[in-house]
Amino acid sequence: MQLVIYILIASSLYALMALGFSIIFTVAKFFHFAHGVIFTLCAYIVLLLFKTLKIPLSVSLVVSIVFISLLACIIKITVYNPLIKKNSSTLIFLLASIGVYTVIQNMISIFWGEDTQTIQSGLINEGIDVFNAKITPIQFGTLVTSIIIISILLYIFKKTKVGMIIRAVSNNKYLSDISGIDSQKVLLIAIIIGSAIAGIAAILVALDVNITPSMGFNALMIAVVI
């Protein structure tokens, strides 16, 4: 049962990261490698706000998600838009995205160092007993949060106009453009949503375990496979 609980917790986190990557990839049609460092940066922004600046955790979480979403928009506008206008190949987009990843990860290493950091504070208590297995409140919160977010996104993409437009662009960008849909605006929305989901996943990881500047790479590789 303990193994089952660990599998559920890990799966819920990987599902969030994969979902965020998938939303962007299906619309953009190129490998958004910088998604991994967006994941990492969100955790470090929480660390800065909560542990260093002593801002309440709830406020720190919201601000960090908003910050990385805005950063993702800036990356799209300043890095990807010029390449889109030039009809660059997917290889060029990949190289540009890797460049963004490298720059931001090195900035994280310069500012916070390479040492392992932790957001956890206070005493570590024994987990809740569930069928002779242990689960901590953070881990339980991770499962619940993942289910809620996935359910909300499922509703958005199946039942709302915004979701159907995103699905239309991901299915056929050319037909969407001639139908009057602004595919670049849709891509921007997809990047915002995907980055916010990655940020939430990073926060859940950071609240449960330690964080490192390279944590986003492993998460991204697993997300890509999923």
Side-chain angles (χ1 to χ4, degrees):
M1 181 54 66
Q2 190 70 61
L3 182 59
V4 170
I5 288 176
Y6 285 154
I7 290 171
L8 289 174
I9 294 166
S11 298
S12 64
L13 289 171
Y14 293 148
L16 284 181
M17 187 63 180
L19 188 58
F21 176 81
S22 178
I23 291 171
I24 298 173
F25 180 78
T26 53
V27 176
K29 297 295 187 290
F30 62 81
F31 197 104
H32 180 51
F33 203 91
H35 192 67
V37 81
I38 290 292
F39 173 92
T40 305
L41 183 60
C42 188
Y44 277 93
I45 295 298
V46 175
L47 178 70
L48 172 65
L49 297 176
F50 179 59
K51 296 295 285 288
T52 305
L53 301 180
K54 307 301 180 182
I55 296 174
L57 181 60
S58 58
V59 177
S60 300
L61 300 181
V62 174
V63 171
S64 63
I65 293 173
V66 172
F67 178 84
I68 56 114
S69 297
L70 291 175
L71 177 61
C73 290
I74 293 172
I75 293 171
K76 195 269 181 185
I77 293 170
T78 60
V79 178
Y80 295 151
N81 278 4
L83 299 179
I84 292 171
K85 291 179 180 178
K86 294 180 180 180
N87 293 320
S88 300
S89 66
T90 54
L91 176 60
I92 299 299
F93 279 100
L94 173 61
L95 294 175
S97 188
I98 292 175
V100 172
Y101 181 100
T102 304
V103 169
I104 297 178
Q105 180 173 320
N106 278 280
M107 290 176 66
I108 291 172
S109 297
I110 290 170
F111 191 81
W112 282 282
E114 293 287 348
D115 295 336
T116 300
Q117 306 276 0
T118 180
I119 296 176
Q120 299 176 19
S121 60
L123 297 175
I124 299 176
N125 298 318
E126 185 178 3
I128 303 167
D129 189 24
V130 180
F131 299 111
N132 295 322
K134 300 294 182 180
I135 181 171
T136 67
I138 292 297
Q139 292 171 335
F140 179 75
T142 297
L143 288 172
V144 173
T145 301
S146 300
I147 292 171
I148 291 173
I149 291 174
I150 292 172
S151 299
I152 291 173
L153 288 172
L154 182 62
Y155 175 81
I156 290 174
F157 284 107
K158 294 292 186 180
K159 300 296 184 180
T160 68
K161 183 178 179 180
V162 172
M164 287 187 282
I165 289 174
I166 293 175
R167 288 166 56 202
V169 174
S170 65
N171 184 57
N172 194 313
K173 179 180 177 298
Y174 175 74
L175 289 180
S176 299
D177 286 336
I178 64 176
S179 299
I181 297 174
D182 187 346
S183 60
Q184 292 309 308
K185 184 177 181 180
V186 173
L187 175 56
L188 186 63
I189 293 172
I191 286 177
I192 291 173
I193 295 174
S195 299
I197 296 171
I200 293 171
I203 289 169
L204 293 173
V205 171
L207 292 175
D208 189 35
V209 296
N210 299 324
I211 61 177
T212 63
S214 61
M215 62 184 285
F217 180 81
N218 293 332
L220 178 64
M221 291 299 99
I222 294 173
V224 169
V225 174
I226 295 173

